[in-house]
Amino acid sequence: QVQLVESGGGLVQPGGSLRLSCVASGRIFSIYGMGWYRQAPGKQRELVAGITSSSSTKYADSVKGRFTISRDNAKNTVYLQMNSLKTEDTAVYYCNQDRSGRLYWGQGTQVTVSS
């Protein structure tokens, strides 16, 4: 069974930074695409950033230039570096692993951007 455990969320002021981490269980991590999604209250879950097994990346337009996704295959970990945070980035952030179309999710970590 796949387990994804997110950490690094919290309360930050606008303009601040946070780094989220997601550790995945299993011996084979490097071959799977990984992603970060978020869901704000009353809104649908949306893709924030994704990274393939070859470390190609993609981003939602709303976070381009501010967020960076990366992975460390030796640590079975994917990161989301979030800079210049805005109040509209407030949401629960979820880690996702794509195993040939079958999606696995973490429990989520809350990010609150507020002054």
Side-chain angles (χ1 to χ4, degrees), residues 33-104:
M34 301 293 297
W36 286 99
Y37 288 71
R38 68 186 179 188
Q39 187 166 19
K43 294 188 177 181
Q44 289 188 330
R45 191 173 295 188
E46 62 174 359
L47 174 68
V48 175
I51 186 165
T52 68
S53 57
S54 58
S55 294
S56 295
T57 59
K58 62 180 177 181
Y59 297 93
D61 288 343
S62 59
V63 306
K64 282 181 181 176
R66 300 189 298 123
F67 290 11
T68 302
I69 188 171
S70 61
R71 64 191 299 159
D72 185 337
N73 292 332
K75 296 182 178 180
N76 279 22
T77 301
V78 62
Y79 303 98
L80 185 67
Q81 177 68 43
M82 305 186 294
N83 299 328
S84 303
L85 282 161
K86 305 176 180 180
T87 56
E88 51 263 43
D89 295 319
T90 295
V92 178
Y93 283 70
Y94 297 91
C95 174
N96 160 280
Q97 185 177 74
D98 183 351
R99 293 195 173 197
S100 300
R102 185 168 183 176
L103 304 180
Y104 295 87

Side-chain angles (χ1 to χ4, degrees), residues 22-35:
C22 171
V23 181
S25 63
R27 294 184 297 170
I28 303 175
F29 173 78
S30 62
I31 65 172
Y32 299 119
M34 301 293 297

